[in-house]
Amino acid sequence: MIISITQPALNWFKREMALEKGDSLRFFVRVGGCSTVQDGFSLGMTVETPTEPALSTEEDGITFFVEEKDIWFFEELDFTVKYSRKKDEIVFQHGDQ
């Protein structure tokens, strides 16, 4: 199981969330919304320091991570964060999507 951030997504995070080297961004599970992985749940994002990271990657000095308590959501699937130019937003791709 891996997490990856595309370059367009990284640029979006830097621009829209003012992330820079040394920052950390957590992906967390929220109740509600829609997801192709778990019915009734979706992903949220927040800038915070990891405490028990189960999955992480670093891009341009920025750490992107999922805490241990949220790892169940991914069901051992690879997780890619992309930027949709059409929607002008971040999209999450899991597994074979």
Side-chain angles (χ1 to χ4, degrees):
M1 182 172 21
I2 61 170
I3 182 173
S4 58
I5 313 295
T6 65
Q7 187 63 47
L10 177 63
N11 294 338
W12 184 91
F13 284 117
K14 289 178 177 180
R15 182 180 72 246
E16 298 297 324
M17 298 186 77
L19 293 181
E20 51 191 42
K21 288 181 182 179
D23 288 337
S24 297
L25 184 102
R26 175 182 168 207
F27 297 105
F28 63 93
V29 178
R30 301 183 319 172
V31 175
C34 61
S35 163
T36 57
V37 177
Q38 299 282 351
D39 289 336
F41 296 94
S42 60
L43 287 179
M45 302 176 287
T46 186
V47 177
E48 66 180 64
T49 303
T51 56
E52 294 183 355
L55 183 61
S56 68
T57 190
E58 185 177 307
E59 297 293 338
D60 202 18
I62 301 167
T63 301
F64 296 87
F65 70 99
V66 175
E67 289 285 354
E68 184 67 39
K69 65 184 176 184
D70 292 324
I71 201 66
W72 62 268
F73 180 84
F74 300 96
E75 295 187 335
E76 308 213 10
L77 298 172
D78 291 341
F79 170 49
T80 303
V81 182
K82 296 182 173 187
Y83 169 70
S84 169
R85 287 178 181 84
K86 185 176 182 179
K87 296 179 181 181
D88 189 29
E89 64 185 30
I90 291 297
V91 292
F92 303 103
Q93 181 177 351
H94 309 281
D96 296 331
Q97 288 181 316

